[in-house]
Amino acid sequence: MDSSGTAGVVERIAVVSDVHGNMTAYDAVLADIDARGIGTVINLGDVAGKGPRGSAAVARTRERCSVTVRGNWDDLLPTKEFPPGDPMTWWKEELTADDRAWLAALPLVHHLELSGRRIRLLHASAESVHVRVHARHTDEQFDAMFATTPLTGEGPAPTMVVYGDIHDAFVKVRDGRTLINAGSAGNPLDETAASYVVLEGVPAGSTADVFGLQMVRVPFDVEAEIAVARGVGMPSLEAYAVELRTGVYRGLHAERGLRAEDVLR
């Protein structure tokens, strides 16, 4: 409630992550966000790399997202030199110089407050964009997501952390704190539909105000996206196709006997 005794105005924010140059999925997600009347979109990084249209994904992100934080691919592609023949070179060169400069300058963390929840948004962990925290994690790893570190900067400890990186959406609540993974809006590895999160609450409100959290799944045309990747000669096409068709991480394909030609929809 505000000082007049009336409820504060509720704001809705969409949080997307890990687009990875998949414009087919990204545009489907953004269309769903638009259909819900949500005007604010926050992106948790890994905009480019792994998929075929990183530069287009950067352009769309710059157009549509009010805040974007840096992911591990966004951190590596602009500045790291890769050996000849390394597939990473293809994804780096697919970006323009302006794309790379923009990615390299992205912040590592963003903070907001809704209905008394202090919310930290970052890509992978409070330690580094290159330190991964899986859906199955220890209590110590959970606690570390809420710690104050050089990456997060000083400030009040968060009561909620939203992150990406693992392409595996989940919500976990412990000791009054909530850890949320937004999954992936371009390369989901828990099921084959893209995912994003909606946060709903009163800016500068209190815990007496309503707060909402929703996981959203958006189907997209997997075969159309694979056709785009094939058409531009993207490397690692086989692994990309299997991931999109099955939602199974490429490091598990061999042991599960998964090949692109065997998992056609």
Side-chain angles (χ1 to χ4, degrees):
M1 294 288 190
D2 62 22
S3 59
S4 66
T6 59
V9 176
V10 172
E11 180 178 357
R12 300 169 74 208
I13 299 171
V15 183
V16 303
S17 190
D18 294 271
V19 171
H20 281 293
N22 181 345
M23 289 302 297
T24 309
Y26 197 19
D27 281 342
V29 166
L30 291 171
D32 188 75
I33 291 168
D34 289 343
R36 295 169 186 266
I38 301 172
T40 301
V41 183
I42 294 176
N43 192 310
L44 300 185
D46 275 9
V47 178
K50 201 173 185 182
R53 290 182 282 184
S55 185
V58 167
R60 186 78 82 248
T61 300
R62 295 177 75 169
E63 171 193 354
R64 294 296 309 273
C65 298
S66 60
V67 174
T68 302
V69 299
R70 194 189 325 161
N72 52 297
W73 282 73
D74 308 325
D75 192 56
L76 288 174
L77 287 178
T79 56
K80 186 175 175 61
E81 293 299 323
F82 302 101
D86 190 318
M88 294 291 285
T89 301
W90 190 95
W91 287 297
K92 180 175 182 175
E93 294 180 348
E94 194 269 337
L95 298 169
T96 68
D98 186 53
D99 293 336
R100 293 192 290 268
W102 180 78
L103 291 170
L106 290 173
L108 294 172
V109 67
H110 180 68
H111 299 93
L112 59 87
E113 189 166 327
L114 291 174
S115 296
R117 276 82 173 170
R118 298 185 299 275
I119 304 172
R120 171 186 289 169
L121 300 110
L122 42 70
H123 180 70
S125 76
E127 182 178 350
S128 166
V129 294
H130 302 290
V131 172
R132 184 155 293 156
V133 177
H134 292 284
R136 294 183 179 180
H137 51 263
T138 65
D139 288 348
E140 290 75 17
Q141 289 172 318
F142 181 97
D143 291 339
M145 294 296 281
F146 297 83
T148 297
T149 69
L151 184 149
T152 68
E154 297 295 328
T159 53
M160 180 173 290
V161 173
V162 189
Y163 76 114
D165 185 52
I166 61 173
H167 304 207
D168 188 359
F170 74 88
V171 178
K172 182 174 181 179
V173 181
R174 185 168 68 84
D175 299 331
R177 298 173 298 176
T178 305
L179 182 62
I180 303 160
N181 192 281
S184 174
N187 183 216
L189 294 176
D190 46 6
E191 61 171 83
T192 57
S195 67
Y196 73 96
V197 165
V198 178
L199 303 175
E200 186 174 29
V202 178
S206 74
T207 53
D209 292 305
V210 68
F211 179 82
L213 166 65
Q214 183 180 18
M215 291 282 187
V216 182
R217 291 286 181 173
V218 182
F220 65 95
D221 190 335
V222 168
E223 296 308 316
E225 175 62 17
I226 293 170
V228 170
R230 183 181 296 111
V232 298
M234 191 189 81
S236 305
L237 175 63
E238 167 88 6
Y240 186 63
V242 176
E243 283 187 341
L244 294 191
R245 287 171 176 161
T246 66
V248 176
Y249 170 60
R250 63 189 60 194
L252 300 175
H253 292 176
E255 71 176 62
R256 298 191 186 185
L258 294 173
R259 301 182 303 166
E261 60 267 32
D262 296 332
V263 291
L264 285 170
R265 287 187 165 191

